[in-house]
Amino acid sequence: MGKVRVAGFGVSLDGFSAGTDQSLEYPLGKRGPEIFQWFFGTKTFRAMHGQPGGSEGIDEKYAFRAMDGFGAFILGRNMFGPIRGEWPDDQWKGWWGDNPPYHAPTFILTNHPRDPIVMQGGTTFFFVTDGIESALEHAKTAAGNLDVKIGGGVSTVRQYLRARLVDEMHLAAGPVLLGQGENLFAGLDLSALGYAVTSMEQSEHAMHVLVTKQ
């Protein structure tokens, strides 16, 4: 069976992994894109958007790893879209258009039931209403021998870390201070939870840190 991983997760120097006021205009929150500057220029990111070229090197290595080897994904409701509360209709199908970048079963944590959505490219969105453990059980079954990615957002990653369900986490710490937003580390004692830094590699745009469960 594969690992449960967080990968390619951007974080500011003051611990924020999303900006404030997420909306259609600001999917990552205001100033949120600043913590992903290491990612946007990579070959992997450009290929995800049907564009040629892109950077090689350290950032590309971690960008590729952030999308490779996964048989299923888990996302929080806010990662799927800006809609809150009951689903008003079936029109919203995610930020990514008809062919999302997951290409695998993707489980959305929500309090509001919804039928699965089959998208192009192998992505099917499933909506899980009975908690993080249930979503992980479904994801592991779907992934088989491949890994499961906890794709975010911040609250979802924090819940899985607090429950010690994450085996490995790759953080890309960018040289920016957000000052406000969603803080990944607030109230979390990762050391007490049994996590430790096991490697670090520096690029021009980010410090790539691997944190693993001991």
Side-chain angles (χ1 to χ4, degrees), residues 25-159:
E25 185 179 1
Y26 300 104
L28 299 173
K30 293 179 180 178
R31 296 192 62 199
E34 294 180 33
I35 60 177
F36 288 97
Q37 292 306 307
W38 70 274
F39 184 50
F40 294 145
T42 62
K43 183 178 179 180
T44 291
F45 180 83
R46 293 183 63 84
M48 287 168 58
H49 292 81
Q51 301 171 348
S55 65
E56 302 280 357
I58 294 173
D59 290 333
E60 167 57 18
K61 179 175 76 171
Y62 285 98
F64 181 81
R65 288 179 180 177
M67 295 303 295
D68 184 56
F70 296 105
F73 295 80
I74 296 174
L75 306 178
R77 169 75 179 266
N78 293 0
M79 280 288 291
F80 180 70
I83 300 168
R84 305 294 184 263
E86 296 283 351
W87 303 102
D89 52 44
D90 294 330
Q91 295 303 306
W92 181 263
K93 297 181 180 180
W95 303 102
W96 310 278
D98 294 331
N99 189 358
Y102 302 106
H103 311 300
T106 301
F107 298 87
I108 311 299
L109 297 166
T110 178
N111 293 319
H112 304 281
R114 184 173 174 180
D115 291 334
I117 306 172
V118 179
M119 306 294 287
Q120 296 177 15
T123 300
T124 299
F125 293 119
F126 297 94
F127 298 87
V128 181
T129 59
D130 51 351
I132 64 170
E133 289 86 358
S134 176
L136 185 56
E137 182 178 345
H138 289 303
K140 284 183 173 181
T141 299
N145 292 326
L146 297 176
D147 292 345
V148 172
K149 181 175 180 177
I150 311 299
V154 179
S155 174
T156 297
V157 171
R158 285 167 53 83
Q159 289 179 69

